[in-house]
Amino acid sequence: MSLRAAVVGGGIIGAAVARHLAAEHDAQVTLLDKEEHLAGHQTGHNSGVVHAGLYYEPGSLKATLCRRGVGLLQDFVQRHDIAYEECGKVVVALDDVQAGRLDDLHARAVANGVPGARLVDADGLREIEPAATGVRALHSPQTAIVDYPAVTRALGGELTAAGGQVRLGHEVVGLEEQGTEVRVSTVARGARDTGAFDLVIVCAGLQSDRVAGLLGEDRAPRIVPFYGDYFVLPREQRDVVRGMVYPVPDPRYPFLGVHVTPRVDGVLTLGPNAFLSLGRESYRRSLPVPADVLDVVGFAGFWRFAAANLSAAVRESRTALSSRNFVAEAQRYVPSLDTSGAVRGTRGVRAQAMGSDGQLVDDFVITGTDRVVMVRNAPSPGATSALAIAEHVVGEALARRGGR
């Protein structure tokens, strides 16, 4: 009898895990998601960047799975004729202090095997991005953009073609190990149902700590949501840049800052910033979600984080409170951008895992037992790495089961 498996979460990682189990391991797979369509949360609210692996600690899961994930993703989009463009990226230093930081970033890129990554001076930057300004830059020619929701839908299609089921509108409200089985309780349109599975893999993103709590796991690392706004420029602005223009990461701040990113649909975006969200799934400017706010203010780790990052909060509040300051950040790197026609795009919400000590959890985190495996943290480059994460997580899950 083949393995009966459930995957919780219909984002790109959950869909990739479910498809891998069904297509590569002949499992009977059910993909569960509370929304009425796949890619309803982080996967459908990001900038569409396919990261090359510049930023990540060499040897980390992020570094390893990002590079593997890029190759798998390229093969997948070619097979499904999904839009994918290697437009490249420059990480631009505006002064000598930032220029010095590029050496460490370049060293990481080389250690991670990022193809073609090279440092250029101001003249070299102008050759790559004539509209960009800076004293030095790191160029990653194979950093790309893609339509991640389309990838997720195609993964769902391959899952069903392999005999799996996609059950949308089914919110998981209970997880319990009973003997050799895992009982998964769901609610759909007010009706409760329970199914039995040999293996459950949870890829719940913004709700990952809460789903872990259903099983009795420690909720730390806790998810603290940070929103990121985007502005979209008129289509005639698309050709101002050839590819992406990013700031140099500042070690004093936990988030990157506003950058300029083209999308595969032919528009240019500015963003995102990063500011505390008053709702885990608040994609518009709306009233606070009491349960989500209480989760944050009742978590001691958040207050430790806040106390250590007051300067970051001040910096991010400038772009959160002022559209003018937001677009001005992008114009520091591309002064010729005409932002007069900029309109607000879709807001994203980042599932930021945070420890009880107030430290942000940087690398991917996978926990669980031989019957329930949980992806507790999969921030950027999670979408880029999704197919490789699926390989890794399924391999871990089957190894824990001892090949059963």
Side-chain angles (χ1 to χ4, degrees):
M1 183 177 177
S2 61
L3 182 74
R4 299 170 302 164
V7 177
V8 180
I12 191 171
I13 294 175
V17 168
R19 170 256 186 194
H20 189 75
L21 273 167
E24 304 297 331
H25 296 278
D26 196 30
Q28 297 178 22
V29 183
T30 302
L31 177 61
L32 300 166
D33 193 90
K34 68 178 182 177
E35 305 302 342
E36 296 297 336
H37 58 91
L38 297 175
H41 293 287
Q42 291 181 105
T43 303
H45 295 84
N46 63 43
S47 56
V49 176
V50 180
H51 293 279
L54 298 178
Y55 304 105
Y56 318 121
E57 183 69 31
S60 66
L61 279 178
K62 276 189 175 183
T64 303
L65 297 181
C66 179
R67 289 305 315 150
R68 171 68 175 160
V70 170
L72 292 172
L73 181 60
Q74 288 173 330
D75 292 342
F76 187 85
V77 297
Q78 185 173 16
R79 191 163 72 247
H80 288 275
D81 195 25
I82 295 171
Y84 184 99
E85 181 185 347
E86 277 188 359
C87 59
K89 173 166 92 173
V90 286
V91 182
V92 177
L94 297 178
D95 56 39
D96 290 341
V97 172
Q98 293 180 3
R101 294 184 192 134
L102 287 177
D103 290 320
D104 288 339
L105 201 59
H106 180 247
R108 284 195 173 193
V110 171
N112 291 339
V114 176
R118 65 189 179 102
L119 292 166
V120 296
D121 60 15
D123 290 335
L125 171 61
R126 280 191 292 272
E127 288 180 10
I128 298 164
E129 283 288 356
T133 185
V135 299
R136 198 182 190 207
L138 174 62
H139 183 214
S140 171
Q142 292 189 17
T143 298
I145 50 178
V146 74
D147 183 345
Y148 281 123
V151 172
T152 307
R153 292 190 295 270
L155 287 165
E158 287 201 358
L159 167 62
T160 56
Q165 297 183 59
V166 178
R167 302 184 71 187
L168 299 174
H170 285 69
E171 181 177 4
V172 173
V173 295
L175 277 177
E176 184 180 4
E177 294 189 53
Q178 292 185 352
T180 60
E181 294 182 335
V182 183
R183 309 286 289 181
V184 181
S185 297
T186 60
V187 171
R189 298 175 182 86
R192 189 179 179 106
D193 186 33
T194 301
F197 301 92
D198 304 310
L199 173 67
V200 174
I201 300 180
V202 177
C203 308
L206 285 156
Q207 306 295 341
S208 61
D209 57 334
R210 289 173 173 166
V211 178
L214 295 177
L215 191 68
E217 278 203 11
D218 190 337
R219 284 192 58 196
R222 186 77 63 89
I223 294 299
V224 176
F226 287 84
Y227 73 76
D229 282 325
Y230 291 90
F231 279 82
V232 178
L233 298 184
R235 289 182 181 273
E236 53 266 27
Q237 289 286 303
R238 167 61 186 89
D239 293 334
V240 173
V241 293
R242 295 171 177 172
M244 300 167 234
V245 181
Y246 272 56
V248 178
D250 189 329
R252 295 174 300 171
Y253 303 123
F255 302 114
L256 186 57
V258 172
H259 37 276
V260 182
T261 308
R263 291 193 322 213
V264 292
D265 63 359
V267 301
L268 197 63
T269 65
L270 312 179
N273 55 355
F275 207 72
L276 181 67
S277 177
L278 300 181
R280 295 195 184 198
E281 299 170 5
S282 296
Y283 301 112
R284 291 179 173 83
R285 293 170 178 259
S286 56
L287 294 174
V289 179
D292 295 344
V293 174
L294 288 173
D295 250 0
V296 172
V297 300
F299 178 46
F302 168 73
W303 295 108
R304 295 186 178 102
F305 167 82
N309 289 277
L310 290 175
S311 61
V314 171
R315 184 185 81 154
E316 294 298 328
S317 68
R318 293 179 61 251
T319 58
L321 298 174
S322 168
S323 299
R324 180 176 297 179
N325 287 338
F326 189 111
V327 299
E329 281 295 304
Q331 287 174 318
R332 295 175 66 202
Y333 299 89
V334 186
S336 61
L337 276 177
D338 179 2
T339 59
S340 60
V343 296
R344 284 191 179 272
T346 302
R347 172 177 284 186
V349 182
R350 172 177 177 158
Q352 178 61 62
M354 188 179 294
S356 298
D357 59 358
Q359 297 296 308
L360 302 185
V361 180
D362 185 57
D363 206 2
F364 299 147
V365 175
I366 301 160
T367 65
T369 68
D370 62 348
R371 287 182 292 276
V372 182
V373 177
M374 299 203 173
V375 179
R376 294 293 301 267
N377 190 48
S380 180
T384 300
S385 311
L387 296 172
I389 292 173
E391 283 185 340
H392 180 80
V393 169
V394 170
E396 288 260 314
L398 297 181
R400 291 182 184 194
R401 292 179 55 81
R404 293 197 297 274

